[in-house]
Amino acid sequence: MRRLTEKEEEVMYHFWDNGPMFVREIVEKCPDPKPHYNTVSTVVRLLEEKGFVDHKVYGSTYQYFAIISREDYKGRALRKVVSDYFDNSYTNVVSKLIEEENLSVDELKGLIEKIEKGKQR
């Protein structure tokens, strides 16, 4: 999976939160100062090239929609972080969380229980 820029991620959140949208609708949802229509259009086309969105044609305009779910993206992004920064080891990730976030034994037990319940399904 190709990595998204901050602007591309912002646009993807609009799709994930609102469903299919026209570029003008995305611009309307952006906070002030609003980006230019052409800027948003370019970002959407890049997302389409990267395989994150697709479109339906309505006359002379396109309505775009996400083809990658938020959960799928988060999972892929997490796997990439684990691969790039933690030697592909989730144990190293958990160790870093314990070290950095001062997780308690009870919190760790809760994580273990959650993992075990997930494996039983």
Side-chain angles (χ1 to χ4, degrees):
M1 176 183 74
R2 295 173 69 181
R3 188 173 218 125
L4 296 182
T5 66
E6 186 177 324
K7 293 293 180 194
E8 290 169 338
E9 254 185 33
E10 286 175 23
V11 170
M12 283 305 298
Y13 277 101
H14 287 295
F15 289 120
W16 290 325
D17 292 341
N18 302 293
M21 300 180 78
F22 295 96
V23 171
R24 65 176 165 69
E25 294 174 314
I26 297 169
V27 172
E28 290 169 9
K29 295 222 176 259
C30 290
D32 288 329
K34 298 206 181 297
H36 192 275
Y37 178 95
N38 291 342
T39 302
V40 175
S41 181
T42 299
V43 172
V44 171
R45 284 195 316 276
L46 288 170
L47 287 167
E48 190 170 25
E49 286 175 19
K50 290 182 175 184
F52 284 84
V53 301
D54 202 354
H55 70 272
K56 287 183 183 178
V57 179
Y58 292 94
S60 63
T61 189
Y62 294 167
Q63 183 183 47
Y64 295 91
F65 55 92
I67 56 176
I68 301 284
S69 72
R70 183 187 318 236
E71 289 305 311
D72 189 33
Y73 177 70
K74 287 178 5 182
R76 289 180 184 190
L78 178 60
R79 285 189 294 278
K80 179 90 171 111
V81 168
V82 171
S83 171
D84 290 353
Y85 300 105
F86 295 97
D87 298 323
N88 232 10
S89 168
Y90 284 88
T91 302
N92 288 347
V93 174
V94 173
S95 295
K96 188 67 173 173
L97 286 171
I98 292 167
E99 178 184 314
E100 293 289 324
E101 300 299 326
N102 297 319
L103 274 110
S104 70
V105 173
D106 288 339
E107 289 171 315
L108 288 173
K109 286 179 183 177
L111 274 173
I112 292 167
E113 287 174 15
K114 186 174 182 178
I115 292 167
E116 288 174 343
K117 285 180 184 176
K119 287 183 178 181
Q120 291 173 358
R121 291 180 189 169

